[in-house]
PDB file of all heavy atoms in Angstrom:
ATOM      1  N   LEU G 403      14.576  49.824 -70.613  1.00 95.00           N
ATOM      2  CA  LEU G 403      13.760  48.991 -69.728  1.00 95.00           C
ATOM      3  C   LEU G 403      12.413  49.651 -69.472  1.00 95.00           C
ATOM      4  O   LEU G 403      11.350  49.006 -69.580  1.00 95.00           O
ATOM      5  CB  LEU G 403      14.506  48.773 -68.408  1.00 95.00           C
ATOM      6  CG  LEU G 403      13.702  48.163 -67.254  1.00 95.00           C
ATOM      7  CD1 LEU G 403      13.271  46.747 -67.581  1.00 95.00           C
ATOM      8  CD2 LEU G 403      14.536  48.180 -65.968  1.00 95.00           C
ATOM      9  N   HIS G 404      12.418  50.934 -69.133  1.00 95.00           N
ATOM     10  CA  HIS G 404      11.166  51.650 -68.885  1.00 95.00           C
ATOM     11  C   HIS G 404      10.260  51.622 -70.113  1.00 95.00           C
ATOM     12  O   HIS G 404       9.044  51.382 -69.998  1.00 95.00           O
ATOM     13  CB  HIS G 404      11.462  53.099 -68.513  1.00 95.00           C
ATOM     14  CG  HIS G 404      12.152  53.250 -67.203  1.00 95.00           C
ATOM     15  ND1 HIS G 404      12.729  54.437 -66.795  1.00 95.00           N
ATOM     16  CD2 HIS G 404      12.366  52.384 -66.189  1.00 95.00           C
ATOM     17  CE1 HIS G 404      13.261  54.286 -65.599  1.00 95.00           C
ATOM     18  NE2 HIS G 404      13.065  53.043 -65.216  1.00 95.00           N
ATOM     19  N   ASN G 405      10.832  51.858 -71.284  1.00 94.00           N
ATOM     20  CA  ASN G 405      10.032  51.877 -72.512  1.00 94.00           C
ATOM     21  C   ASN G 405       9.384  50.529 -72.775  1.00 94.00           C
ATOM     22  O   ASN G 405       8.205  50.451 -73.169  1.00 94.00           O
ATOM     23  CB  ASN G 405      10.903  52.281 -73.707  1.00 94.00           C
ATOM     24  CG  ASN G 405      11.204  53.763 -73.719  1.00 94.00           C
ATOM     25  OD1 ASN G 405      10.469  54.561 -73.153  1.00 94.00           O
ATOM     26  ND2 ASN G 405      12.310  54.144 -74.357  1.00 94.00           N
ATOM     27  N   TRP G 406      10.137  49.454 -72.556  1.00 96.00           N
ATOM     28  CA  TRP G 406       9.589  48.118 -72.821  1.00 96.00           C
ATOM     29  C   TRP G 406       8.432  47.810 -71.871  1.00 96.00           C
ATOM     30  O   TRP G 406       7.404  47.271 -72.280  1.00 96.00           O
ATOM     31  CB  TRP G 406      10.683  47.054 -72.673  1.00 96.00           C
ATOM     32  CG  TRP G 406      10.216  45.700 -73.138  1.00 96.00           C
ATOM     33  CD1 TRP G 406      10.332  45.185 -74.400  1.00 96.00           C
ATOM     34  CD2 TRP G 406       9.545  44.713 -72.356  1.00 96.00           C
ATOM     35  NE1 TRP G 406       9.765  43.930 -74.458  1.00 96.00           N
ATOM     36  CE2 TRP G 406       9.264  43.609 -73.207  1.00 96.00           C
ATOM     37  CE3 TRP G 406       9.141  44.642 -71.034  1.00 96.00           C
ATOM     38  CZ2 TRP G 406       8.620  42.464 -72.775  1.00 96.00           C
ATOM     39  CZ3 TRP G 406       8.481  43.498 -70.589  1.00 96.00           C
ATOM     40  CH2 TRP G 406       8.229  42.426 -71.451  1.00 96.00           C
ATOM     41  N   ILE G 407       8.584  48.155 -70.605  1.00 95.00           N
ATOM     42  CA  ILE G 407       7.521  47.875 -69.630  1.00 95.00           C
ATOM     43  C   ILE G 407       6.267  48.679 -69.972  1.00 95.00           C
ATOM     44  O   ILE G 407       5.142  48.171 -69.869  1.00 95.00           O
ATOM     45  CB  ILE G 407       8.010  48.186 -68.204  1.00 95.00           C
ATOM     46  CG1 ILE G 407       9.127  47.211 -67.813  1.00 95.00           C
ATOM     47  CG2 ILE G 407       6.862  48.069 -67.199  1.00 95.00           C
ATOM     48  CD1 ILE G 407       9.779  47.521 -66.475  1.00 95.00           C
ATOM     49  N   MET G 408       6.448  49.934 -70.395  1.00 94.00           N
ATOM     50  CA  MET G 408       5.287  50.736 -70.795  1.00 94.00           C
ATOM     51  C   MET G 408       4.588  50.135 -72.013  1.00 94.00           C
ATOM     52  O   MET G 408       3.356  50.149 -72.105  1.00 94.00           O
ATOM     53  CB  MET G 408       5.726  52.171 -71.098  1.00 94.00           C
ATOM     54  CG  MET G 408       6.006  53.007 -69.868  1.00 94.00           C
ATOM     55  SD  MET G 408       6.206  54.772 -70.266  1.00 94.00           S
ATOM     56  CE  MET G 408       7.760  54.731 -71.179  1.00 94.00           C
ATOM     57  N   ASP G 409       5.371  49.592 -72.943  1.00 94.00           N
ATOM     58  CA  ASP G 409       4.790  49.027 -74.173  1.00 94.00           C
ATOM     59  C   ASP G 409       4.225  47.630 -73.963  1.00 94.00           C
ATOM     60  O   ASP G 409       3.476  47.133 -74.818  1.00 94.00           O
ATOM     61  CB  ASP G 409       5.859  48.969 -75.269  1.00 94.00           C
ATOM     62  CG  ASP G 409       6.288  50.349 -75.743  1.00 94.00           C
ATOM     63  OD1 ASP G 409       5.517  51.308 -75.517  1.00 94.00           O
ATOM     64  OD2 ASP G 409       7.393  50.461 -76.315  1.00 94.00           O
ATOM     65  N   ASN G 410       4.566  46.996 -72.851  1.00 95.00           N
ATOM     66  CA  ASN G 410       4.111  45.630 -72.575  1.00 95.00           C
ATOM     67  C   ASN G 410       3.526  45.562 -71.159  1.00 95.00           C
ATOM     68  O   ASN G 410       4.122  44.962 -70.255  1.00 95.00           O
ATOM     69  CB  ASN G 410       5.277  44.650 -72.719  1.00 95.00           C
ATOM     70  CG  ASN G 410       5.833  44.604 -74.125  1.00 95.00           C
ATOM     71  OD1 ASN G 410       5.379  43.830 -74.968  1.00 95.00           O
ATOM     72  ND2 ASN G 410       6.834  45.451 -74.383  1.00 95.00           N
ATOM     73  N   PRO G 411       2.373  46.176 -70.949  1.00 93.00           N
ATOM     74  CA  PRO G 411       1.812  46.259 -69.594  1.00 93.00           C
ATOM     75  C   PRO G 411       1.489  44.880 -69.018  1.00 93.00           C
ATOM     76  O   PRO G 411       1.087  43.959 -69.745  1.00 93.00           O
ATOM     77  CB  PRO G 411       0.537  47.092 -69.781  1.00 93.00           C
ATOM     78  CG  PRO G 411       0.216  46.973 -71.232  1.00 93.00           C
ATOM     79  CD  PRO G 411       1.519  46.838 -71.949  1.00 93.00           C
ATOM     80  N   MET G 412       1.702  44.739 -67.729  1.00 95.00           N
ATOM     81  CA  MET G 412       1.423  43.489 -67.012  1.00 95.00           C
ATOM     82  C   MET G 412       0.052  43.561 -66.365  1.00 95.00           C
ATOM     83  O   MET G 412      -0.398  44.634 -65.945  1.00 95.00           O
ATOM     84  CB  MET G 412       2.486  43.239 -65.937  1.00 95.00           C
ATOM     85  CG  MET G 412       3.901  43.166 -66.460  1.00 95.00           C
ATOM     86  SD  MET G 412       5.084  42.912 -65.103  1.00 95.00           S
ATOM     87  CE  MET G 412       6.591  43.545 -65.845  1.00 95.00           C
ATOM     88  N   GLN G 413      -0.585  42.414 -66.250  1.00 94.00           N
ATOM     89  CA  GLN G 413      -1.875  42.306 -65.577  1.00 94.00           C
ATOM     90  C   GLN G 413      -1.873  41.057 -64.707  1.00 94.00           C
ATOM     91  O   GLN G 413      -1.334  40.020 -65.101  1.00 94.00           O
ATOM     92  CB  GLN G 413      -3.027  42.219 -66.595  1.00 94.00           C
ATOM     93  CG  GLN G 413      -3.181  43.440 -67.481  1.00 94.00           C
ATOM     94  CD  GLN G 413      -3.705  44.638 -66.735  1.00 94.00           C
ATOM     95  OE1 GLN G 413      -4.436  44.506 -65.741  1.00 94.00           O
ATOM     96  NE2 GLN G 413      -3.344  45.833 -67.187  1.00 94.00           N
ATOM     97  N   HIS G 414      -2.480  41.160 -63.527  1.00 95.00           N
ATOM     98  CA  HIS G 414      -2.646  40.010 -62.633  1.00 95.00           C
ATOM     99  C   HIS G 414      -1.311  39.267 -62.421  1.00 95.00           C
ATOM    100  O   HIS G 414      -1.239  38.043 -62.506  1.00 95.00           O
ATOM    101  CB  HIS G 414      -3.704  39.049 -63.187  1.00 95.00           C
ATOM    102  CG  HIS G 414      -5.016  39.717 -63.463  1.00 95.00           C
ATOM    103  ND1 HIS G 414      -5.880  40.091 -62.453  1.00 95.00           N
ATOM    104  CD2 HIS G 414      -5.603  40.091 -64.637  1.00 95.00           C
ATOM    105  CE1 HIS G 414      -6.952  40.666 -62.983  1.00 95.00           C
ATOM    106  NE2 HIS G 414      -6.813  40.683 -64.300  1.00 95.00           N
ATOM    107  N   THR G 415      -0.275  40.030 -62.164  1.00 96.00           N
ATOM    108  CA  THR G 415       1.070  39.466 -62.048  1.00 96.00           C
ATOM    109  C   THR G 415       1.699  39.854 -60.716  1.00 96.00           C
ATOM    110  O   THR G 415       1.545  40.978 -60.249  1.00 96.00           O
ATOM    111  CB  THR G 415       1.965  39.983 -63.200  1.00 96.00           C
ATOM    112  OG1 THR G 415       1.357  39.649 -64.452  1.00 96.00           O
ATOM    113  CG2 THR G 415       3.352  39.373 -63.129  1.00 96.00           C
ATOM    114  N   HIS G 416       2.392  38.890 -60.114  1.00 95.00           N
ATOM    115  CA  HIS G 416       3.259  39.181 -58.974  1.00 95.00           C
ATOM    116  C   HIS G 416       4.650  39.473 -59.531  1.00 95.00           C
ATOM    117  O   HIS G 416       5.172  38.684 -60.346  1.00 95.00           O
ATOM    118  CB  HIS G 416       3.322  37.998 -58.004  1.00 95.00           C
ATOM    119  CG  HIS G 416       2.165  37.925 -57.068  1.00 95.00           C
ATOM    120  ND1 HIS G 416       0.871  37.712 -57.511  1.00 95.00           N
ATOM    121  CD2 HIS G 416       2.090  38.037 -55.713  1.00 95.00           C
ATOM    122  CE1 HIS G 416       0.053  37.702 -56.457  1.00 95.00           C
ATOM    123  NE2 HIS G 416       0.773  37.901 -55.367  1.00 95.00           N
ATOM    124  N   VAL G 417       5.242  40.592 -59.112  1.00 97.00           N
ATOM    125  CA  VAL G 417       6.501  41.048 -59.686  1.00 97.00           C
ATOM    126  C   VAL G 417       7.533  41.261 -58.582  1.00 97.00           C
ATOM    127  O   VAL G 417       7.266  41.959 -57.598  1.00 97.00           O
ATOM    128  CB  VAL G 417       6.314  42.377 -60.454  1.00 97.00           C
ATOM    129  CG1 VAL G 417       7.608  42.764 -61.169  1.00 97.00           C
ATOM    130  CG2 VAL G 417       5.153  42.285 -61.436  1.00 97.00           C
TER     131      VAL G 417
END
Side-chain angles (χ1 to χ4, degrees):
L403 168 65
H404 293 168
N405 285 336
W406 189 91
I407 294 174
M408 284 191 292
D409 292 340
N410 297 271
M412 302 179 203
Q413 297 289 332
H414 305 286
T415 303
H416 279 64
V417 186

